[in-house]
Amino acid sequence: MVMQGGTDVTASEGVATRRAPGVRSGRRPTLASVADLAGVSLKTASRVLNHEPNVADATRAKVQDAAQRLGFRRNAVAADLARGGSSRLVGFVTGDLANPFYSALASGIERELRPHGLQLITTSSDEDPSRERALTEALVERRVGALVVTPTATDHSSLQPEIEGGTPVVFVDRPAEGIEADTVVIDNRGGVRAAVRHLLDHGHRRIALVGDESRLWTFQERCDEFVATLREAGDEDPGRYVREGAHDADLARDFVTELLSLPEPPTALLTANNKITVGALHALRDRQDATAPGGTHVALVGFDDFELADLLDVTVVGYDVVEMGRQAAALAVSRADDPDLPPRLVVVPTRLVERGTGEVPGPAS
């Protein structure tokens, strides 16, 4: 390629084709190319594209027309940082983007950010601590305006300099370790206590808990309360029907199948999240009659509401996930306005939603 009089000329088999000014060349157009095409200075082009005042209407029109012809797009992040401000982007590191829980959480965050002119970037750690660290580092390096994290790693002290530097960091669903920061969690213990007492009131004494990875704070909270509530009710071995490590529906299905095959199986199940509940429903369907030996039907209460749970008559421990996300975003916005606020904790309440599966009577009823 050669240049003739400032216009690109491409040679191919001895034939020269002239590219008219303003036609895209396959490369990302620069601010300088916009200024050149509009016949103005670089500074003037920058003022127009950053929507600054005191530019003549005719000049503004020329610059905007040149930008449109070239397909130029303003780098809003770079412009904000160049003016000494923070990015309008907020990073969200979820545990598992495929889980509807996190989709609803992201929706709540985004709804709260939108009126403030902020945009959400969502990534997923897949519950991998090393991936979570890599993602948080990448977002921080890109100077996001705030960071919302569902923590999987066991140490978040590396984010302390960011907090001290003024970047709002909010942890959601689980508290962080090794750092004090704004946090939004569910009332895990209250939800489990209500579910277990509900099953006890319906005559069940052999109650199982099928949960996620034991290292996760949410499962630790739910398991501890499950054991404590049964012990208060006089169960001398409340952990005998506890199964952990059911990180997906297939593993949950296997655990429930194993539990119901025991010589003295549980007559009620408490599943610790929505994916585990789905796995349990598959296991119960596999039994066809969904009964334990002796003809006793198996009761089921799931922690987390989920799509179609109402049609399947599944009793759940529910809560407002969207509101949970909204609260996390609100903490981030207020933290940006006042970095010196002390760390805050928001606990989202739970409620028992009775639909039928949790109301199956036990053998003592």
Side-chain angles (χ1 to χ4, degrees), residues 165-218:
T167 300
V169 178
V170 179
F171 294 95
V172 64
D173 190 39
R174 311 159 192 162
E177 296 188 36
I179 191 173
E180 291 187 1
D182 294 329
T183 305
V184 181
V185 296
I186 307 161
D187 182 11
N188 292 286
R189 288 181 175 268
V192 167
R193 185 165 54 253
V196 173
R197 287 178 176 172
H198 184 72
L199 292 170
L200 289 168
D201 288 345
H202 281 79
H204 295 278
R205 295 298 178 266
R206 301 198 303 272
I207 304 173
L209 172 68
V210 183
D212 207 331
E213 301 288 348
S214 59
R215 62 183 171 80
L216 298 178
W217 178 84
T218 45

Side-chain angles (χ1 to χ4, degrees), residues 28 84 107 175 183 230 234 252 263 279 281 287 342 354:
R28 186 180 297 277
S107 175
T183 305
L230 283 180
L281 288 171
R287 295 179 60 87
E354 300 180 22

Side-chain angles (χ1 to χ4, degrees), residues 14-318:
V15 178
T17 58
R18 187 177 300 272
R19 181 180 294 115
V23 176
R24 299 180 187 180
S25 64
R27 297 186 297 271
R28 186 180 297 277
T30 63
L31 181 61
S33 63
V34 173
D36 183 56
L37 181 59
V40 300
S41 69
L42 190 64
K43 183 176 180 180
T44 297
S46 175
R47 291 178 63 192
V48 171
L49 297 173
N50 283 308
H51 310 292
E52 296 179 14
N54 302 321
V55 178
D57 290 343
T59 301
R60 187 179 300 277
K62 285 195 301 182
V63 173
Q64 291 173 340
D65 179 65
Q68 184 176 4
R69 292 177 66 189
L70 291 172
F72 177 83
R73 292 292 180 269
R74 173 177 173 270
N75 188 332
V77 174
D80 290 340
L81 296 179
R83 291 198 297 269
S86 60
S87 167
R88 292 186 176 92
L89 300 178
V90 174
F92 176 33
V93 182
T94 76
D96 179 5
L97 197 55
N99 189 329
F101 167 81
Y102 291 109
S103 300
L105 202 57
S107 175
I109 296 172
E110 190 171 38
R111 291 182 192 183
E112 180 68 20
L113 295 179
R114 195 179 302 134
H116 299 279
L118 300 169
Q119 294 179 319
L120 187 66
I121 300 175
T122 303
T123 62
S124 178
S125 69
D126 295 326
E127 303 291 7
D128 181 342
S130 60
R131 179 168 172 77
E132 180 201 318
R133 283 190 291 269
L135 288 171
T136 54
E137 289 174 3
L139 290 168
V140 166
E141 287 173 359
R142 285 161 176 76
R143 301 284 297 279
V144 291
L147 192 61
V148 180
V149 181
T150 299
T152 295
T154 56
D155 184 7
H156 295 84
S157 58
S158 61
L159 289 173
Q160 186 65 42
E162 303 307 321
I163 293 176
E164 294 174 353
T167 300
V169 178
V170 179
F171 294 95
V172 64
D173 190 39
R174 311 159 192 162
E177 296 188 36
I179 191 173
E180 291 187 1
D182 294 329
T183 305
V184 181
V185 296
I186 307 161
D187 182 11
N188 292 286
R189 288 181 175 268
V192 167
R193 185 165 54 253
V196 173
R197 287 178 176 172
H198 184 72
L199 292 170
L200 289 168
D201 288 345
H202 281 79
H204 295 278
R205 295 298 178 266
R206 301 198 303 272
I207 304 173
L209 172 68
V210 183
D212 207 331
E213 301 288 348
S214 59
R215 62 183 171 80
L216 298 178
W217 178 84
T218 45
F219 175 66
Q220 293 171 8
E221 288 286 288
R222 295 171 192 181
C223 184
D224 288 351
E225 189 60 37
F226 174 84
V227 170
T229 305
L230 283 180
R231 184 171 284 120
E232 288 173 4
D235 192 329
E236 296 181 357
D237 188 13
R240 67 189 184 281
Y241 292 124
V242 172
R243 299 294 184 272
E244 61 186 48
H247 187 55
D248 56 42
D250 288 339
L251 284 171
R253 184 180 191 169
D254 293 341
F255 280 129
V256 172
T257 299
E258 177 262 323
L259 282 165
L260 297 181
S261 300
L262 293 172
E264 192 176 41
T267 62
L269 303 170
L270 174 58
T271 47
N273 66 37
N274 53 5
K275 291 191 299 184
I276 297 173
T277 304
V278 170
L281 288 171
H282 279 289
L284 293 174
R285 184 201 61 183
D286 292 343
R287 295 179 60 87
Q288 295 183 348
D289 60 352
T291 60
T296 304
H297 284 271
V298 179
L300 170 66
V301 178
F303 205 109
D304 298 340
D305 211 344
F306 62 98
E307 190 175 4
L308 301 182
D310 54 341
L311 295 179
L312 296 172
D313 299 326
V314 179
T315 297
V316 299
V317 175

